[in-house]
Amino acid sequence: MRSIKRIALLCSVGALLAPLAQAQTWQVAKDEEGIKVSLSEVAGSKYKAYKGETLIKAPLAKVLAVQEDVAGACAWVHECKMQKLLKHEGDQTWTYTQFNTPWPVTPRDSVLRITTSKGADGSVTRNIEEAPTLLPEEKGFVRVAQVEGFWKMVPEGEGTRVTYQVHTEPGGSVPSWLANKFVVDAPFNTLKHLRERVERP
């Protein structure tokens, strides 16, 4: 009986600790030009998750309109070479994107499913996940193996508070210096260029 009680106690303690183990601890990596980028370790991955936050001086509807131009979004997404809409069904959209990478790293591509939902506070969240088997692999590209993240846009006064959070398993071999640079540059440059595009008269 004593051993059974001990096992039961360990299980209950484990249940209490599990949420703590999964909780992300964010460390600010860059805070410039009104854009804050934070990074977090991800259990079982050598690549960090990134989170970028900024305030865009425009209504949420205008931010969404710029985001929903899938092909045009390539102009402000970091290192985007080409992007196209694959299909749209209800609140779900599928996209295909090709990314530039510095030599000698093989360029990456990704197929994403984006699910949009609206909150009671007027916010809009766009959850991002990979759908790599939707299209055959392209010659000359490494398909990104895993993507998990979201865009969240919350009305704030006359502007929109935007959060962009992602964790990626890029597939293949990526040098640590490039991975470490990407997780800071991707959210910072993406949010900076999105803000410029949205706030343009």
Side-chain angles (χ1 to χ4, degrees), residues 84 86 95-97 109-111 131-138 143:
K84 64 181 178 180
L86 296 177
T95 63
Y96 173 71
T97 311
D109 67 358
S110 69
V111 180
T133 59
L134 189 64
L135 283 184
E137 292 191 9
E138 291 276 342
R143 181 66 45 88

Side-chain angles (χ1 to χ4, degrees), residues 54-73:
T54 194
L55 178 66
I56 295 179
K57 296 174 183 176
L60 191 151
K62 190 174 181 183
V63 179
L64 276 179
V66 171
Q67 282 204 340
E68 288 168 357
D69 175 10
V70 175

Side-chain angles (χ1 to χ4, degrees), residues 160-175:
T160 306
R161 176 70 56 182
V162 179
T163 302
Y164 173 44
Q165 180 178 321
V166 177
H167 174 247
T168 301
E169 292 290 341
S173 177
V174 178

Side-chain angles (χ1 to χ4, degrees), residues 25-150:
T25 303
W26 295 98
Q27 306 261 336
V28 176
K30 188 171 185 173
D31 192 350
E32 297 175 14
E33 301 180 49
I35 300 169
K36 182 168 72 173
V37 174
S38 304
L39 304 179
S40 175
E41 301 286 346
V42 176
S45 175
K46 61 181 181 178
Y47 302 104
K48 293 180 180 179
Y50 59 77
K51 177 170 65 174
E53 301 167 278
T54 194
L55 178 66
I56 295 179
K57 296 174 183 176
L60 191 151
K62 190 174 181 183
V63 179
L64 276 179
V66 171
Q67 282 204 340
E68 288 168 357
D69 175 10
V70 175
C74 201
W76 51 265
V77 172
H78 181 64
E79 294 295 4
C80 180
K81 180 181 180 182
M82 179 275 284
Q83 185 164 262
K84 64 181 178 180
L85 176 67
L86 296 177
K87 61 178 179 174
H88 178 80
E89 295 177 1
D91 61 358
Q92 295 189 328
T93 301
W94 287 260
T95 63
Y96 173 71
T97 311
Q98 293 180 349
F99 295 95
N100 299 310
T101 53
W103 185 89
V105 180
T106 304
R108 265 44 181 183
D109 67 358
S110 69
V111 180
L112 299 179
R113 181 175 68 178
I114 303 161
T115 305
T116 302
S117 60
K118 296 180 180 180
D121 59 353
S123 64
V124 173
T125 301
R126 309 186 78 200
N127 287 303
I128 304 165
E129 61 182 329
E130 80 288 347
T133 59
L134 189 64
L135 283 184
E137 292 191 9
E138 291 276 342
K139 186 177 180 181
F141 288 85
V142 172
R143 181 66 45 88
V144 174
Q146 183 180 336
V147 182
E148 184 179 5
F150 63 85

